[in-house]
């Protein structure tokens, strides 16, 4: 139960409720104030009741680490191997201060502190990806918690296009060594704008009547094995005329 309301020097009343747990397992308390003694106590009671209501659900008892593992297993049949591997990397390297906390004990403040700590050593993109996975976990297993957090600002990534002379030098060096497959890969990348994974998945069946059809990619899965997968979105399917 919340603490008995105490009158402050300002004349307002304050009652303290337990609304969660800290990372060390100790109770997380929050003060509720109001000009009315009864209203202050009612606010505290409502907050504490909400915390206990969230706590009793089975899924919310999962730790962040357990919930990520469960989400990965749930989504494995429908996500690409590279996406699954990315999730597992996040679990091993990001938000380590949150992994042993139960979902029902998480608060926006706890998550924000971890975000601020990670932002000092990781790129904004990495932090945002980790936060995106955490949000997906919460939507699946603890939808009562709506995170109100601030993420590091995005940084603009400039695409550097090598000059034609550099591309010609690379192709010439590959040809002189007799590595015609490498020369061909460089030309595919430079002239058609293909990703490495798309080039590696190409077969002769994908090239017909002067057109290259892009409809798959070759990627590593979490076991270190190469897998052919479809594009992540409909925009990944495309036909490109050969030069």
């Amino acid at each position: 139960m919340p603490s008995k309301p105490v009158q402050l020097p300002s004349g307002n009343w304050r009652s303290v409720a337990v609304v969660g747990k800290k990372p060390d397992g100790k109770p997380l308390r929050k003060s509720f104030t109001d000009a009315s003694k009864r209203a202050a106590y009612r606010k505290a009671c409502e907050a504490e009741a909400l915390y206990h209501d969230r706590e009793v659900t089975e899924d919310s008892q999962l730790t962040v680490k357990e919930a990520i593992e469960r989400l990965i297993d749930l989504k494995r049949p429908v996500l690409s191997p590279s996406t699954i591997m990315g999730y597992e990397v996040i679990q091993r390297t990001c938000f380590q201060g949150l992994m042993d906390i139960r979902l029902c004990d998480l608060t926006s403040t706890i998550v924000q502190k971890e975000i601020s700590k990670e932002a000092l050593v990781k790129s904004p993109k990495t932090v945002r990806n980790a936060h995106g996975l955490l949000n997906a976990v919460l939507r699946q297993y603890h939808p009562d918690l709506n995170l109100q957090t601030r993420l590091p600002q995005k940084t603009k990534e400039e695409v550097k296009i090598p000059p034609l002379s550099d591309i010609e030098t690379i192709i010439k060096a590959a040809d002189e060594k007799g590595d015609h497959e490498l020369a061909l890969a460089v030309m595919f990348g430079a002239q058609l704008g293909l990703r490495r994974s798309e080039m590696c998945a190409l077969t002769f069946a994908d090239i017909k009547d002067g057109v290259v059809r892009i409809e798959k990619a070759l990627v590593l899965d979490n076991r270190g094995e190469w897998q052919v997968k479809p594009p992540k979105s409909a925009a990944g399917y495309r036909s490109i005329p050969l030069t």
Side-chain angles (χ1 to χ4, degrees):
M1 294 293 291
S3 66
K4 183 179 178 180
V6 175
Q7 192 168 26
L8 303 173
S10 63
N12 288 334
W13 291 85
R14 179 181 66 189
S15 183
V16 180
V18 175
V19 295
K21 289 185 179 179
K22 298 178 181 178
D24 59 6
K26 295 181 180 179
L28 176 66
R29 294 181 170 86
K30 183 177 180 180
S31 297
F32 295 86
T33 59
D34 197 278
S36 166
K37 178 180 179 180
R38 180 176 297 179
Y41 189 67
R42 185 181 68 251
K43 289 179 181 178
C45 287
E46 290 174 351
E48 196 162 289
L50 178 61
Y51 163 63
H52 288 300
D53 286 344
R54 293 201 312 263
E55 191 178 29
V56 297
T57 64
E58 181 180 350
D59 286 343
S60 70
Q61 296 290 320
L62 295 169
T63 65
V64 172
K65 182 179 180 180
E66 292 169 341
I68 291 176
E69 290 173 348
R70 187 171 293 189
L71 183 71
I72 290 174
D73 289 339
L74 179 67
K75 301 287 188 179
R76 194 180 297 276
V78 295
L79 295 178
S80 70
S82 58
T83 299
I84 293 295
M85 187 163 61
Y87 284 174
E88 292 173 338
V89 170
I90 289 173
Q91 183 191 34
R92 293 195 306 269
T93 62
C94 298
F95 292 170
Q96 294 306 293
L98 302 179
M99 289 300 163
D100 294 329
I101 300 178
R102 295 184 306 171
L103 299 183
C104 61
D105 295 329
L106 277 181
T107 65
S108 292
T109 300
I110 292 174
V111 176
Q112 184 65 67
K113 288 181 179 178
E114 191 70 13
I115 289 173
S116 299
K117 184 174 72 174
E118 293 281 329
L120 297 175
V121 294
K122 291 183 173 66
S123 69
K125 182 178 179 180
T126 298
V127 176
R128 285 176 170 271
N129 287 345
H131 186 266
L133 176 57
L134 180 60
N135 258 331
V137 165
L138 291 173
R139 286 196 300 269
Q140 186 71 39
Y141 299 114
H142 190 36
D144 289 339
L145 177 58
N146 182 22
L147 290 178
Q148 302 294 325
T149 49
R150 186 176 180 84
L151 298 173
Q153 190 171 359
K154 292 182 179 179
T155 55
K156 184 178 180 180
E157 297 182 6
E158 293 187 8
V159 178
K160 296 182 179 180
I161 302 176
L164 180 60
S165 59
D166 286 353
I167 297 173
E168 291 174 339
T169 299
I170 295 172
I171 295 173
K172 182 179 178 181
D175 280 333
E176 289 176 350
K177 290 184 178 181
D179 195 340
H180 302 302
E181 288 187 353
L182 176 59
L184 184 61
V186 174
M187 286 190 284
F188 267 121
Q191 298 182 38
L192 305 184
L194 301 186
R195 301 178 178 88
R196 181 175 60 177
S197 59
E198 293 171 337
M199 290 187 286
C200 291
L202 283 177
T203 65
F204 284 108
D206 300 315
I207 303 172
K208 186 177 181 180
D209 298 330
V211 174
V212 181
R213 293 180 304 173
I214 307 302
E215 52 190 22
K216 57 185 181 296
L218 188 67
V219 299
L220 276 174
D221 64 15
N222 60 332
R223 299 183 299 274
E225 298 176 355
W226 292 102
Q227 300 286 342
V228 175
K229 71 170 189 69
K232 288 185 177 181
S233 65
Y237 292 90
R238 57 203 191 278
S239 296
I240 306 173
L242 285 170
T243 60

